Amino acid sequence: MEKDWRAVVEEAKAKAATSGKRGALSIIRRIAGGPKKLIFGAILLIVFIFVYTSSSTYVPPNMVGVRQVYFGSNAGLQKDTFGPGLYMVISGVERLHLFPTDLQIVNFSDSQSETSKSFRTAPAVKIQTSDGYNVVLDVSVLYRISDAHRIIVDSGPGRAFEDRLVVPRSDRILRKTLGELNSEQFYQGPQRIEKARNAEEMLRAELAPFGIALDAVLVRRFTYDERYQSLIEGRKIKDQTVFLRQAEAAVAIEERKRDTIIAEGKANQEVELARGASEIKKLQSQADLIRRKKAAEGQLLIELAEAKGTQLENDALQGAGSENMVGLKMAEVLQGIDGLVLNSSGKDGLNPLDLAGLLQKFEVK
C-alpha cells in the first residue's frame, strides 16, 4: 500500500504541473474518498510531501557525500561516498555530509586586495629569517579533496579540515622552510623559489595521508619590516653605485683597448700602404726599364732596317740601269715645271730639241 500511495502522490504532482489545480484536487478527492474528505486528503498529501523532502538530500555537482548512520548495527561513518544526485536520508537516523571535489584555495594574506570572498582567507605567514629580520608572506595554497571519508574521520564534518589540517600545517612548514634563509638570500629569487618548492613537497607529503591532494603552493608577495626595508634599500643603492663604478671602469678599459686596437690598425694600414706604394714604384720601374729596353731594341731594329734599305738603294743605284733611274728622277723633278728659261747658245747652252745632247748632259749612257 505504501508503494501505491507514493505512486499516486507522484501522479498528483505531475498532474498539478500539467493540468493545474483542478487535476491535483480531483486526484486528492479520489484518494480521500470523495468531496467530504477533501481537507483530510490535502493534509495527508502535505504531510507526505514534507516527510519526503525532509528525508532526502541533494548532492550538487563538484561535491561528494559521506553517509553517517546514528542508530543500528551499521551506526557510524560509511566508507561508500555518494556523487551528485538526490538521495533518501531518514532525518534523525542518518545524515549525508557534503565535501567539495573541485579545486580549493586558501589565501594567506592581511590585505583585502589580495583575498577573495570565494575562497578561505587566513592571516599572512610571518617568517623570521636566520639573521633576525621579519618577513610577511602572501601565499596561496591550492588543493583538492581526494578521500572525503578520510577527511571526516580525521578532522570532522564541514570545513573543519581547513582549520585542523590545511591552514596550520601550511603555516608551520612555510615558516620552517623559508625561515632557513637569511634576509639577503630571501631577497634573491632563486634560493627563495627553491625553498618554496621544498615547502610544497613537504606539505604535499603531510596532507596526502589525510585525503588531501596538494596542487601548488604559490608565494605571491613578500614584505620586509620597515627597519630592514630602509637598511636594504640603502645597501642596494650602495651596491648599485659600486656596480656602476665597476661598469664605468670596465667601459674605460674597453675603450682604451679599442683605441689601442684602432691605433695599431691605422699603423698597420700605413705600413701596408707604404709597402704597397713601394711595390708599385718597383713594378713601375721594372715596367719602365722593360719598356725602354724594348723601345731601344725596336729602334735599333728600325735603324738597322733603314740602314739596310739605304744600302740596298745605294747598291741598286750603282748597278745597271742606275742612269735610267737618275733620268727618271730628273723627269719627276721637271714634271711639275710649266716653263723653263735656259741659255741655248754657246758651248754650255741647252737645246731641248737635241735629245742626244740632253742625255749626255745628264750622263745617261
Side-chain angles (χ1 to χ4, degrees), residues 4 12 14 28 85 93 100 112-113 132 137 144 191 228 251 261 273 281 283 294 309 312 319 323 336 342 349 356:
D4 296 339
I28 293 173
V93 178
Q112 292 184 354
S113 62
L137 285 184
R144 303 173 189 271
Q191 297 189 47
Y228 183 72
V251 170
I261 293 172
L273 289 175
K281 290 181 178 179
L283 294 174
K294 294 298 181 182
L312 293 175
E323 296 86 355
L342 297 173

Side-chain angles (χ1 to χ4, degrees), residues 63-68 77-81 97-102 104 106 143-167 169 203-204 206-214:
M63 297 199 78
V64 66
V66 178
R67 186 188 298 271
Q68 182 179 9
L77 295 169
Q78 308 300 308
K79 291 186 177 181
D80 295 334
T81 56
H97 299 277
L98 303 181
F99 293 93
T101 57
D102 55 351
Q104 301 296 302
V106 176
Y143 67 95
R144 303 173 189 271
I145 294 177
S146 59
D147 189 346
H149 179 265
R150 186 77 253 177
I151 285 285
I152 194 171
V153 169
D154 292 329
S155 59
R159 310 291 296 192
F161 61 90
E162 289 182 334
D163 295 323
R164 297 180 182 179
L165 296 174
V166 179
V167 173
R169 293 174 186 270
L203 184 59
R204 181 178 289 109
E206 282 207 14
L207 294 180
F210 298 99
I212 298 176
L214 182 68

Side-chain angles (χ1 to χ4, degrees), residues 289-305:
L289 177 61
I290 294 172
R291 186 184 68 253
R292 290 198 302 271
K293 182 178 179 180
K294 294 298 181 182
E297 292 177 353
Q299 185 65 31
L300 178 60
L301 293 174
I302 292 172
E303 291 177 356
L304 290 174

Side-chain angles (χ1 to χ4, degrees), residues 206-268:
E206 282 207 14
L207 294 180
F210 298 99
I212 298 176
L214 182 68
D215 280 10
V217 174
L218 306 177
V219 179
R220 296 182 287 107
R221 189 177 68 171
F222 60 93
T223 306
Y224 289 101
D225 58 1
E226 294 182 358
R227 59 191 181 94
Y228 183 72
Q229 188 71 24
S230 301
L231 177 64
I232 198 169
E233 287 178 358
R235 184 186 303 172
K236 289 302 174 183
I237 291 174
K238 292 180 180 179
D239 292 343
Q240 294 300 322
T241 303
V242 172
F243 294 151
L244 176 62
R245 298 294 178 263
Q246 292 176 351
E248 291 175 348
V251 170
I253 293 173
E254 295 301 324
E255 287 179 350
R256 287 196 296 271
K257 290 181 179 179
R258 181 201 61 194
D259 295 339
T260 302
I261 293 172
I262 292 174
E264 291 177 352
K266 289 183 178 179
N268 294 333

Side-chain angles (χ1 to χ4, degrees), residues 334 340-362:
L334 296 175
L340 184 64
V341 179
L342 297 173
N343 185 11
S344 60
S345 62
K347 181 182 179 179
D348 296 327
L350 179 62
N351 185 4
L353 299 177
D354 186 6
L355 295 176
L358 289 173
L359 292 174
Q360 185 177 1
K361 283 186 178 293
F362 284 110

Side-chain angles (χ1 to χ4, degrees), residues 311-325:
Q311 182 182 359
L312 293 175
E313 288 181 359
N314 292 334
D315 293 342
L317 292 174
Q318 293 178 2
S322 59
E323 296 86 355
N324 297 329
M325 290 184 64

Side-chain angles (χ1 to χ4, degrees), residues 82-96:
F82 300 85
L86 184 64
Y87 300 94
M88 293 296 298
V89 178
I90 301 175
S91 179
V93 178
E94 56 185 358
R95 179 182 176 183
L96 207 59

